[in-house]
Amino acid sequence: MSYPPIGDYALIGDCHSSALVSRDGSIDWCCTPRLDSPSVFGRLLDRERGGFCSIGAEGAETSRRYVNNSLVLETTFRAGGGEARLYDFFAMRRGGRDRPYRQLIRIVEGVRGRVELDMRASPRFDYGEVQPWFRREGAQLYSAIGGAQGLLFASDFPMERVDRHNLAARIIARAGERARLSIRYVEPELLDEQPAVPPEQHELDGRLDETLTWWEQWASEAQFDGPYVAGAIRSAAVLKALTFAPTGAIAAAPTASLPALIPGDANWDYRYSWVRDSTFTVRALFELGYEKEPEGFRRFVERSAAGTGTDIQVVYGIGGERRLTEMELEHLEGYRGCAPVRIGNGAWRQEQLDVYGEAMDLAWRWYERGRSPDDDYWEFIVDMVDSACEHWTDPDRGIWEVRGEPRHFVHSKVMCWTAVDRALKLAEASARRAPTDRWERMRKEIREAIDGDGYDDKRGVFVREFGSRGLDASVLLIPGVDFCAYDDDRMMRTADAIAEELGVGGLLRRYAEDDGVEEQGAFLPCSFWLAEVYARQGRKEPARAWFDRTVATANDLGLFSEQFDVDARELRGNFPQGLTHLSHIAAAVALSENRLPSATAG
């Protein structure tokens, strides 16, 4: 059985759980009741052992779309002169943060003629380790139980238990008729304590309408207009789906171990909340007019760090967990045979100095929207900035989380400068007591070091690390924190040098040096960063060219991965990738505004 391209998948989610649905109607990845729970369907990482739930018609012509601005997926099957639609979604409602349905619903609707579809449910719990036991609970009602996980399958069409571990059904779709399947997460022990109750047909139909209404209402809160609005709202919906509603954490992606290179072993678990990526996310949502998500994430970071800025980590579990022990699942073959399959992420133990600047930039942006820090948050800020002052001279792993030797990355140093700069501004604006004399000395010292050791005088460009002549796309981010203006001559030259030296197939690589992490092809966020920089420099033509080429890598639903294989013309890496989507929004906003902000830094 061959693996579909990553771009063949669609995301559905409810800010608690997530799933990927293939172009032909198979749920090949699903983690519930949390985004980072062990998978219940995992065929994405092992076609034979991973598990799936499929509804489809063999040999049918298919097309798909999201319904309006929602994450309700509509797949259309055409076969034998008939046509049927399949709606896939996680049910959502107002108040779902505290009272989620925890329910994945699949509704088949006949459009014309007659279409025969086959349903197959083969869940495999704990990343394919457990074949759950299907137990009959009532008419067209089965529980799947194994280990600590449980699912309840309910339908209004006949289902048969093929064996202890699989369900199957034949669905006849006729014009104007519907067939419904509900898959609800349940704690296995509760099934022994109370009888399972199947949902009514009108209840499932109502939840489709309720979910569509929820997404439309959320999308309507955006305050953005222009030629790129549709794509920006789609990217925003992806970022919303990656938000874990109970805590405010934002996952980097809903998947684990999708390879960035084929063949290769750069397979990482991205179902956690990086402070950096999440701060970028809330910044992008701010740009579109959303403010609830930024406040939720700000509080999440403060809580997860136990209120002490010196204890802030690079990445947390979406519930605030600090230990994300990385391990390899040897029983899974990996996507297209690219082992190892990893869960957990060793980056939680890394030192990445930019985390201080990202968290402080978020605090400053929050203040600019009328929210002053309270006493506890200010104490947290002082601790964090003092830590940045103490450690800025240390080498670190950088934005790319290198697994070789730590280095003195320019982007990391700039973000330490940002931490001090934002703290000074915030102290003055909010009349807070702070060691301003010491902070001002440190801000000046860091700037002088970057201007000296992080800049190549001969070429007139910012470089990757102190003492190096190599380039790194991460320095495209430094005007965004006001270290220098976008139209500063140094940034103009740096942008052009990066475009020339890091370009591959009309897109950008991250860097061109070996540092212990396999360098792949085009890294899509970087390509959007360059488009944003050019736009804010007033260079419309290159900005639009880089933007259009990067947008063209999305799948038919507007979803991006993190990397793109320019030779195979396929998306690579975990999918959909939040960093790419938020960078898409930032570039779209920049192209729409086409303004030139000036630096006001000290």
Side-chain angles (χ1 to χ4, degrees):
M1 300 176 67
S2 62
Y3 287 81
I6 290 171
D8 270 16
Y9 286 97
L11 171 71
I12 58 174
D14 64 350
C15 305
H16 293 264
S17 306
S18 64
L20 295 188
V21 187
S22 73
R23 190 181 298 274
D24 58 0
S26 180
I27 299 174
D28 289 348
W29 180 257
C30 179
C31 296
T32 185
R34 292 179 20 155
L35 288 155
D36 60 352
S37 296
S39 63
V40 295
F41 302 121
R43 187 160 68 164
L44 186 67
L45 297 180
D46 194 307
R47 294 294 289 181
E48 183 175 344
R49 300 192 59 171
F52 64 96
C53 177
S54 63
I55 294 179
E58 186 174 355
E61 176 189 345
T62 64
S63 60
R64 60 182 181 170
R65 69 181 185 107
Y66 284 120
V67 181
N68 300 325
N69 290 315
S70 74
L71 282 189
V72 174
L73 179 67
E74 178 190 289
T75 303
T76 300
F77 299 92
R78 299 177 183 87
E83 182 175 320
R85 297 191 188 106
L86 169 64
Y87 295 100
D88 283 311
F89 62 98
F90 276 96
M92 302 186 73
R93 64 177 169 189
R94 292 185 60 132
R97 174 185 179 276
D98 302 312
R99 298 180 299 112
Y101 285 126
R102 302 203 299 187
Q103 184 179 34
L104 195 164
I105 298 175
R106 317 196 74 183
I107 298 177
V108 174
E109 181 178 76
V111 178
R112 60 184 173 83
R114 181 178 183 271
V115 180
E116 294 186 6
L117 300 105
D118 291 312
M119 189 282 290
R120 179 74 180 267
S122 300
R124 299 293 182 263
F125 295 167
D126 197 9
Y127 304 108
E129 193 78 73
V130 177
Q131 293 191 62
W133 161 42
F134 270 113
R135 184 175 72 182
R136 191 173 188 275
E137 304 287 348
Q140 309 313 321
L141 186 64
Y142 291 87
S143 60
I145 303 169
Q149 295 175 285
L151 296 175
L152 188 65
F153 288 76
S155 70
D156 60 1
F157 53 83
M159 294 188 293
E160 295 182 357
R161 198 175 71 161
V162 178
D163 52 38
R164 290 172 60 86
H165 311 300
N166 301 278
L167 286 180
R170 173 62 59 90
I171 302 171
I172 307 300
R174 297 182 177 87
E177 297 180 357
R178 280 183 169 181
R180 304 158 184 87
L181 174 66
S182 164
I183 307 172
R184 186 164 62 86
Y185 180 84
V186 293
E187 284 77 17
E189 61 273 14
L190 296 183
L191 291 169
D192 293 329
E193 296 175 5
Q194 57 189 31
V197 178
E200 299 288 340
Q201 291 181 343
H202 68 84
E203 183 180 346
L204 298 181
D205 290 342
R207 289 185 181 178
L208 171 58
D209 295 336
E210 188 177 21
T211 301
L212 288 170
T213 299
W214 189 96
W215 279 108
E216 284 302 319
Q217 183 173 353
W218 183 81
S220 70
E221 297 174 12
Q223 301 172 19
F224 179 60
D225 197 7
Y228 309 110
V229 63
I233 296 301
R234 173 56 59 218
S235 283
V238 171
L239 299 177
K240 181 63 176 175
L242 294 177
T243 303
F244 186 55
T247 65
I250 304 170
T255 54
S257 272
L258 287 179
L261 181 68
I262 298 177
D265 65 354
N267 312 327
W268 315 112
D269 190 347
Y270 277 9
R271 297 170 301 154
Y272 308 116
S273 185
W274 274 258
V275 173
R276 173 198 313 112
D277 293 36
S278 299
T279 302
F280 289 169
T281 296
V282 298
R283 191 181 303 163
L285 293 176
F286 264 148
E287 295 272 19
L288 297 182
Y290 295 104
E291 297 200 353
K292 292 179 183 177
E293 293 78 12
E295 170 63 0
F297 177 72
R298 186 191 67 78
R299 293 185 180 278
F300 167 76
V301 171
E302 187 179 5
R303 287 194 314 271
S304 300
T308 306
T310 54
D311 288 339
I312 191 170
Q313 281 189 184
V314 171
V315 56
Y316 296 96
I318 59 174
E321 298 84 1
R322 299 173 67 88
R323 293 184 183 275
L324 307 176
T325 304
E326 188 175 298
M327 65 182 70
E328 296 181 4
L329 303 182
E330 296 181 357
H331 65 283
L332 297 178
E333 72 170 15
Y335 176 80
R336 293 188 180 176
C338 289
V341 171
R342 296 185 178 96
I343 60 169
N345 198 300
W348 72 276
R349 305 187 71 168
Q350 287 189 357
E351 182 176 30
Q352 298 174 23
L353 297 176
D354 66 310
V355 67
Y356 300 118
E358 301 299 354
M360 268 311 306
D361 189 57
L362 176 61
W364 173 246
R365 290 172 186 270
W366 194 241
Y367 175 81
E368 288 184 309
R369 284 161 174 78
R371 278 80 166 182
S372 293
D374 58 23
D375 292 344
D376 288 336
Y377 192 45
W378 181 251
E379 184 177 355
F380 174 80
I381 285 172
V382 172
D383 286 344
M384 186 167 56
V385 176
D386 283 345
S387 290
C389 292
E390 179 182 353
H391 294 289
W392 80 268
T393 57
D394 297 343
D396 75 331
R397 304 289 179 170
I399 187 173
W400 307 127
E401 301 184 345
V402 302
R403 298 204 173 195
E405 289 298 314
R407 302 183 183 190
H408 292 280
F409 293 107
V410 170
H411 175 261
S412 296
K413 308 302 184 186
V414 169
M415 295 314 297
C416 287
W417 175 92
T418 301
V420 184
D421 178 70
R422 296 298 188 267
L424 283 165
K425 291 179 179 179
L426 189 55
E428 179 180 5
S430 60
R432 286 281 180 177
R433 294 183 61 183
T436 53
D437 290 343
R438 177 162 57 86
W439 285 358
E440 286 174 352
R441 288 196 303 272
M442 295 306 301
R443 180 173 66 175
K444 181 180 179 183
E445 182 179 334
I446 299 171
R447 172 177 280 281
E448 289 175 349
I450 296 168
D451 287 341
D453 298 328
Y455 184 72
D456 184 341
D457 288 319
K458 291 184 179 179
R459 288 190 295 167
V461 298
F462 289 104
V463 293
R464 185 181 193 210
E465 62 186 90
F466 282 6
S468 167
R469 299 195 66 224
L471 298 177
D472 191 309
S474 64
V475 299
L476 293 169
L477 298 170
I478 66 179
V481 293
D482 299 331
F483 183 81
C484 64
Y486 281 97
D487 57 347
D488 184 298
D489 287 344
R490 296 173 298 174
M491 276 310 303
M492 301 282 277
R493 290 190 294 268
T494 298
D496 289 340
I498 286 175
E500 180 179 353
E501 296 183 27
L502 298 185
V504 54
L507 303 167
L508 278 189
R509 293 173 293 162
R510 294 177 292 176
Y511 48 79
E513 297 180 21
D514 176 33
D515 57 9
V517 174
E518 289 183 88
E519 176 55 31
Q520 292 80 46
F523 198 79
L524 297 178
C526 299
S527 303
F528 279 129
W529 296 347
L530 183 59
E532 179 184 8
V533 168
Y534 276 144
R536 296 200 182 281
Q537 290 173 345
R539 298 198 271 180
K540 295 181 181 180
E541 290 188 10
R544 287 174 180 160
W546 280 94
F547 183 82
D548 290 345
R549 286 196 298 268
T550 314
V551 166
T553 66
N555 73 0
D556 55 309
L557 297 171
L559 304 184
F560 297 98
S561 187
E562 91 179 327
Q563 302 206 40
F564 187 74
D565 187 323
V566 296
D567 295 324
R569 307 305 296 172
E570 283 191 6
L571 294 165
R572 296 280 189 257
N574 286 303
F575 176 84
Q577 171 64 268
L579 183 61
T580 311
H581 281 277
L582 66 90
S583 302
H584 171 226
I585 292 172
V589 170
L591 280 163
S592 298
E593 294 177 350
N594 193 29
R595 56 188 172 85
L596 291 172
S598 297
T600 56

